[in-house]
Amino acid sequence: MSNTIKAAIITGVATIVAGFIGGMGYGKSSEQKNIQNEIQAAMGNVVNFMGDNNEVTINSVKDLVDEYQRLQSQNKSLLDQNTKYFSDLSEANYQVSALQSKTNDMPEINFNNLALSIDAQDILINRNNSMVTIDGRDYFSREIVESLIPDEQNCTIKNNTLFIGKVIAEKANLLDQWVTNSFGCDYEEAINDSLGNTCTKALVLWMRSGNITYNLNRKYSNLKFKLSSYNEGDKNICGVITIKADEEIIYTSPTINIYTEMIDVDVPINNCATLTITGATKDFFRCIISDAIVYN
C-alpha cells in the first residue's frame, strides 16, 4: 500500500474515531464535544508518512478517550497545585518582608567590659558585660549601682521600682490630700527659693501666722519633704515651722532665713488622722515646703 493511500486512511480514521465518540454518547456534553473536535484535529494533521510498511492500528476508541480525559484531569490537578504553590510563595514572601521590616526596627545593642574607680580607688567588680548601650542610652550592672550608694543604704527592686534606702509600699502627694483648714498659704507648681533652687509642687507658707491642716485618715506612717526660704525677704528676718500629728508635735525646724540651705525632712507621723503645719515668726517671712509626700 502506498504512503499516499495510508495517509488518506489515517485522515479517514480521525473522522471515524470522532464520529464513533459521538455515537458512543460522548458528544452529549460540551466536554465530550471538545474531545471529539480535538482528536479529529490532531489525527487529521497526520498526513505524511515516510518509508514502507507503515501501519496504524486503533485498538480501542474508548481507551483512547479515557486516556485523553485522564491526562486532562492530571493537567487540571497540576494547574491547581501550581496555583496553590504560587499563593504559598506569595505568602512566604510577605512574611519574609515583614520579618525584614522587624529586623530593621531592632535596637542597636553594644556590650562593654567596664571597670569602676571611685575617688581614685579601684573597686573590684565583675567587668564582663558590665555596661550595655542600647540605641545610644547607657545601662550599668546592678553591681556597679550598689557600689555607688552609701554603705548604710540598701538597693531593692519591688513592684517595678528601684528603691535606694527605704522601701515604700504606698505613697501620695501631701498637697493632694483633703484640706480641713488653711490660712496664709499658697500653692505653686514650680518656684525658686532664696538660693535659686527650683522647688516643685510647693506650699508657700507665711510663717507669721500661716497654717494648714490635712486629713490623712490614718493611712500613712511617714512624712517627707524639702524645706527652704522664699526668695524675698530681709536677711535679719527668720522663723521656724512646727508639724503636729493629731495634737502631738512631731517636728520643729531649725531657725531659717534667706541664707538657709534647703533642708531634707523625713519624720514619722504615726498614722495620724490630721496633720497640721504652722509657721512662727514675729515678722513677715515665708518658707517653701516642696516635694512633700506621705508614705508607708
Side-chain angles (χ1 to χ4, degrees):
M1 183 181 294
S2 69
N3 290 336
T4 302
I5 296 172
K6 290 178 179 179
I9 292 173
I10 292 298
T11 304
V13 168
T15 302
I16 293 169
V17 170
F20 185 72
I21 293 170
M24 292 173 60
Y26 287 104
K28 292 181 179 180
S29 67
S30 59
E31 179 184 0
Q32 297 299 338
K33 287 180 180 179
N34 291 335
I35 294 173
Q36 178 180 341
N37 293 334
E38 290 173 9
I39 292 177
Q40 183 173 358
M43 296 186 69
N45 289 332
V46 183
V47 295
N48 294 314
F49 279 85
M50 302 301 294
D52 296 332
N53 302 318
N54 292 307
E55 294 182 0
V56 175
T57 303
I58 304 299
N59 293 321
S60 172
V61 174
K62 183 178 184 303
D63 291 344
L64 177 64
V65 174
D66 289 345
E67 179 65 14
Y68 183 84
Q69 287 183 306
R70 186 182 68 82
L71 291 175
Q72 277 196 324
S73 177
Q74 286 182 347
N75 287 339
K76 184 178 183 305
S77 176
L78 289 173
L79 179 61
D80 291 342
Q81 277 189 328
N82 288 337
T83 301
K84 183 178 183 302
Y85 292 153
F86 179 79
S87 177
D88 291 345
L89 179 60
S90 298
E91 176 64 21
N93 287 335
Y94 172 79
Q95 292 181 359
V96 168
S97 298
L99 289 173
Q100 288 176 340
S101 177
K102 289 182 179 180
T103 301
N104 294 334
D105 293 336
M106 291 290 288
E108 182 180 349
I109 302 175
N110 295 302
F111 287 92
N112 292 286
N113 299 329
L114 190 70
L116 178 64
S117 176
I118 300 178
D119 293 332
Q121 180 180 356
D122 293 334
I123 307 300
L124 183 62
I125 62 169
N126 182 3
R127 298 178 54 182
N128 186 41
N129 294 335
S130 57
M131 173 182 170
V132 59
T133 302
I134 304 176
D135 287 341
R137 188 172 185 180
D138 297 330
Y139 299 86
F140 302 97
S141 68
R142 177 168 179 163
E143 189 176 6
I144 290 179
V145 173
E146 290 179 338
S147 299
L148 297 176
I149 62 177
D151 292 337
E152 66 273 11
Q153 299 281 8
N154 293 321
C155 177
T156 306
I157 297 177
K158 184 178 181 181
N159 299 329
N160 297 322
T161 302
L162 175 63
F163 294 95
I164 305 299
K166 291 183 178 180
V167 177
I168 298 175
E170 184 181 8
K171 68 177 180 178
N173 190 323
L174 176 64
L175 274 61
D176 291 337
Q177 306 309 301
W178 184 262
V179 176
T180 61
N181 180 60
S182 68
F183 176 79
C185 54
D186 300 300
Y187 295 98
E188 299 286 350
E189 277 295 320
I191 190 172
N192 290 331
D193 67 11
S194 58
L195 297 181
N197 299 308
T198 299
C199 305
T200 58
K201 297 186 181 303
L203 172 69
V204 180
L205 182 70
W206 287 91
M207 297 185 70
R208 182 173 185 177
S209 56
N211 65 84
I212 188 168
T213 300
Y214 294 97
N215 179 20
L216 300 183
N217 290 315
R218 305 188 183 280
K219 292 171 58 178
Y220 304 101
S221 57
N222 294 277
L223 168 66
K224 185 176 183 179
F225 63 93
K226 298 177 186 291
L227 176 64
S228 57
S229 170
Y230 188 65
N231 62 1
E232 294 179 359
D234 190 294
K235 65 180 181 179
N236 296 317
I237 300 175
C238 55
V240 299
I241 66 166
T242 59
I243 299 177
K244 292 182 179 180
D246 293 329
E247 295 302 319
E248 179 184 355
I249 296 177
I250 58 171
Y251 175 76
T252 300
S253 75
T255 300
I256 60 175
N257 60 26
I258 59 174
Y259 296 114
T260 302
E261 294 184 356
M262 182 177 287
I263 302 170
D264 289 316
V265 181
D266 192 348
V267 293
I269 57 176
N270 308 319
N271 294 96
C272 60
T274 59
L275 183 78
T276 302
I277 304 173
T278 304
T281 182
K282 293 181 180 180
D283 301 298
F284 291 102
F285 181 71
R286 288 177 285 180
C287 72
I288 300 173
I289 296 171
S290 59
D291 296 327
I293 63 169
V294 284
Y295 69 93
N296 292 319

